[in-house]
Amino acid sequence: MDNSKKRRKIARHARVLRVRSNIRGTAEKPRLTVSKTNHHLYAQLINDEKGVTLAGVGTLSKPNQAEEYNRKSKGSARRIGAQIAEMAKKLNVNTVVFDRGRHKFHGVIAELANSAREAGLQF
């Protein structure tokens, strides 16, 4: 890697750590982390005290594979937000801490968050 790619990679990692340094998930209030790639979108509920993933869903998950929600889009973000909120309710979790990672809160990240809020999650 040349220096510009190294600097970008280091800057991205620093952004992740800066956001996550203030965010910790517990058993009662897990961390809802959102990650995205160029083609897919993922959401997980994480208990940081035990280092355990409680639930996870993404565009590559079984319920979304054969549908029009198998790629990253605002529609699939709305659906994933609703699915992760449903999983949280099954685990008796009503409040979460939202972790957007290094991404800005707009576009598909905002759609996922708003959909999870509409489905009953509080953050």
Side-chain angles (χ1 to χ4, degrees):
M1 280 191 294
D2 63 352
N3 281 340
S4 62
K5 287 184 181 178
K6 282 184 183 179
R7 278 195 305 266
R8 279 185 292 183
K9 187 176 181 180
I10 290 169
R12 274 191 216 115
H13 188 65
R15 269 195 305 276
V16 169
L17 294 178
R18 186 170 54 239
V19 170
R20 196 162 298 147
S21 67
N22 300 320
I23 299 173
R24 298 291 296 169
T26 62
E28 300 83 28
K29 194 172 180 179
R31 177 167 52 107
L32 171 60
T33 182
V34 178
S35 59
K36 66 178 185 171
T37 64
N38 287 338
H39 301 290
H40 297 287
L41 186 64
Y42 310 94
Q44 291 182 332
L45 291 173
I46 299 173
N47 178 355
D48 287 318
E49 291 176 339
K50 292 185 179 179
V52 176
T53 300
L54 304 174
V57 68
T59 53
L60 289 175
S61 298
K62 285 271 188 192
N64 300 327
Q65 274 185 343
E67 302 177 14
E68 70 267 11
Y69 302 111
N70 63 351
R71 300 288 273 182
K72 181 178 76 173
S73 67
K74 287 188 178 181
S76 61
R78 281 186 223 103
R79 176 153 174 141
I80 289 171
Q83 288 174 341
I84 199 74
E86 181 181 316
M87 289 177 176
K89 286 183 182 179
K90 286 181 183 176
L91 295 169
N92 295 324
V93 173
N94 295 322
T95 59
V96 296
V97 179
F98 189 71
D99 178 12
R100 61 182 171 81
R102 65 181 177 93
H103 308 290
K104 293 181 181 178
F105 189 85
H106 73 94
V108 293
I109 303 290
E111 288 291 330
L112 189 144
N114 292 335
S115 174
R117 282 186 182 125
E118 289 172 5
L121 278 182
Q122 297 175 353
F123 53 92

